Amino acid sequence: MDINFLGFMPALLPIALSPGASFTLVMSSALSGGYTGLFKTLAGTALGIYTHAILIGFGITSIIISSPASFTVLKILGNAYLLWLGITLIRSGMSAKSGGLAETTHSVTLGEAWIANVLNPKAILFYLTVVSQFAGKQGGISHYLTLASVHIVVMSIWLLVISRALVFSVKKASPLKLKKYVNITGGILLIVFSVHAVID
C-alpha cells in the first residue's frame, strides 16, 4: 500500500480542525440533542466523507467536476441546503422555550448531516484535488476509504473534545440561553458559509 500518510496529515489537519459547516452542526447537535444528537451528526458527517471517497474512487467526482453545468447545479443545491439548515437553526434558537434541552425544536439528523457534507462543494474539491494526491499511484477505492477513515478519526476526536466541553458547560450556564446562543449563532454561520460560497 503506497498511501502517503505523512504527507496527508499536514494537508488534512487545517481542513479537519477548522470551523465549518460540520463543526457548526455538531456544536448545535451536542447542545440540542445531547450525546444522541452529537453522535447522529458525527455519523452523518462520517457517511458523507465515505461517500466522497467512494465517488472519487469510481471516478464519478471527476465526471461531475468536468461538467461546469453539473458542478454549478451541485453548488446551488449545496448552498441552498446550508441556507435552509441555517434558517432552521435560527428559528429553533429563537423559539426555544423555558423547558431547556428537553424541548428541542430541531436537532440535526443523521440524514441532514450526510446531505450537508455530500453537497458541500469544498469537500468535493478537497477529495478530488488534495486527497487524490496521497492515495498512491494506483489509487483505488480501498485507498480512498483508508484516507477517509483517517479523516473521520481526526475530525471525530476534535469535535468530540470541543462538543464535550460545550455539553458540560450547560451545567454551569442557563440551558435556555446557551441553546438560543448556539443555535442562532450556528444558523448565522451556516448562512454566512452559504453566501460566501456563492460569491467566492
Side-chain angles (χ1 to χ4, degrees):
M1 184 175 289
D2 56 348
I3 297 177
N4 184 0
F5 289 107
L6 292 179
F8 180 60
M9 291 306 294
L12 171 65
L13 289 177
I15 300 298
L17 305 184
S18 63
S22 295
F23 179 90
T24 303
L25 291 176
V26 167
M27 292 303 102
S28 176
S29 296
L31 182 60
S32 300
Y35 286 108
T36 300
L38 164 65
F39 287 117
K40 281 183 180 179
T41 305
L42 280 179
T45 302
L47 287 175
I49 292 172
Y50 278 132
T51 300
H52 287 300
I54 292 171
L55 291 176
I56 192 172
F58 279 118
I60 297 174
T61 301
S62 298
I63 295 174
I64 294 174
I65 296 295
S66 65
S67 170
S70 297
F71 190 57
T72 298
V73 170
L74 190 64
K75 287 178 66 175
I76 291 173
L77 289 174
N79 291 328
Y81 192 73
L82 278 185
L83 185 63
W84 175 79
L85 277 179
I87 293 172
T88 301
L89 287 179
I90 290 174
R91 292 178 61 187
S92 173
M94 294 180 68
S95 63
K97 299 179 181 180
S98 58
L101 299 182
E103 296 187 13
T104 301
T105 306
H106 181 77
S107 182
V108 178
T109 65
L110 184 149
E112 288 173 339
W114 175 75
I115 293 173
N117 188 272
V118 169
L119 293 181
N120 186 344
K122 291 184 178 180
I124 295 171
L125 291 175
F126 174 70
Y127 267 78
L128 181 67
T129 61
V130 178
V131 178
S132 60
Q133 296 181 32
F134 305 101
K137 294 180 180 179
Q138 301 301 321
I141 292 179
S142 62
H143 287 203
Y144 285 113
L145 288 176
T146 299
L147 290 176
S149 296
V150 173
H151 183 176
I152 290 168
V153 169
V154 172
M155 174 200 71
S156 296
I157 292 174
W158 168 244
L159 291 179
L160 281 169
V161 169
I162 297 299
S163 59
R164 182 178 175 83
L166 173 62
V167 170
F168 284 145
S169 70
V170 173
K171 297 179 181 179
K172 301 177 182 179
S174 166
L176 176 61
K177 289 182 180 179
L178 196 55
K179 178 185 183 327
K180 284 186 174 182
Y181 174 77
V182 171
N183 275 10
I184 292 174
T185 302
I188 292 173
L189 285 175
L190 288 180
I191 293 174
V192 170
F193 294 147
S194 176
V195 173
H196 177 71
V198 172
I199 63 178
D200 192 11

